[in-house]
Amino acid sequence: MAAAFVGRVAFFAISMVLLSSFATATDFVVGDNDGWKLDYNYTKWAQDKVFHVGDVLVFKYNNDSHNVLKVNATSFKDCVTSDPLETFRSGHDWISLQSPGKKWYICGIAGHCADHQMKLVINVLADGPAPAPTSSSHSLVSSLAVMVAAAMIGVAAIFA
């Protein structure tokens, strides 16, 4: 009976660790350490990244100088700022990617999109696990899951 209990606890612990690594979304800081700024190649930044529903774009910028507009394809192409789908102004915007397909973002300050390439387009995939995040929050969750699993196995071994 004790062996069956230990087996169940071990299976549960291993399952938790595996599921935590597959079910976690990724936070993408746009521009990495450079953030959202003038004269940065956001096409190059995005080219090696895979975005999934549930991931988050994090735009970091000086909100006295910039903003973020979510726009459609035409507004993106022509840098039209007059009719955005959404406007963000905090300087630290967290934008959850909630549906698949192309997403377009530009800076709405005059000249920043057209003259300084403050524009980002991404393609969001519907299914499949997000790649392992690089954020410290994922590392903490994974570490806690491993510690809980180890503690459960230890407790099960004591009562076996």
Side-chain angles (χ1 to χ4, degrees), residues 44-119:
K44 185 175 180 181
W45 173 82
Q47 75 185 6
D48 64 343
K49 293 168 179 55
V50 179
F51 302 94
H52 295 273
V53 169
D55 288 346
V56 175
L57 292 179
V58 181
F59 285 86
K60 294 182 180 181
Y61 57 93
N62 178 341
N63 65 349
D64 290 331
S65 305
H66 305 294
N67 61 21
V68 178
L69 305 181
K70 182 177 181 182
V71 296
N72 62 30
T74 303
S75 293
F76 178 84
K77 179 180 162 282
D78 298 333
C79 289
V80 174
T81 62
S82 59
D83 192 26
L85 303 172
E86 290 183 72
T87 301
F88 304 92
R89 295 185 176 100
S90 76
H92 196 102
D93 304 316
W94 291 69
I95 301 172
S96 180
L97 303 174
Q98 298 184 3
S99 61
K102 294 254 186 199
K103 310 294 178 206
W104 301 271
Y105 302 93
I106 63 175
C107 182
I109 304 301
H112 289 195
C113 176
D115 300 332
H116 297 284
Q117 299 308 304
M118 282 191 76
K119 54 197 300 185

Side-chain angles (χ1 to χ4, degrees), residues 1 19 29 36 45-46 61 64 66 83 87 96 107 116 124 133 135-136 138-139 143 145 147 159:
M1 181 164 164
L19 288 174
V29 177
W36 186 237
W45 173 82
Y61 57 93
D64 290 331
H66 305 294
D83 192 26
T87 301
S96 180
C107 182
H116 297 284
V124 179
S135 71
S136 60
H138 175 67
S139 301
S143 298
M147 288 190 303
F159 291 107

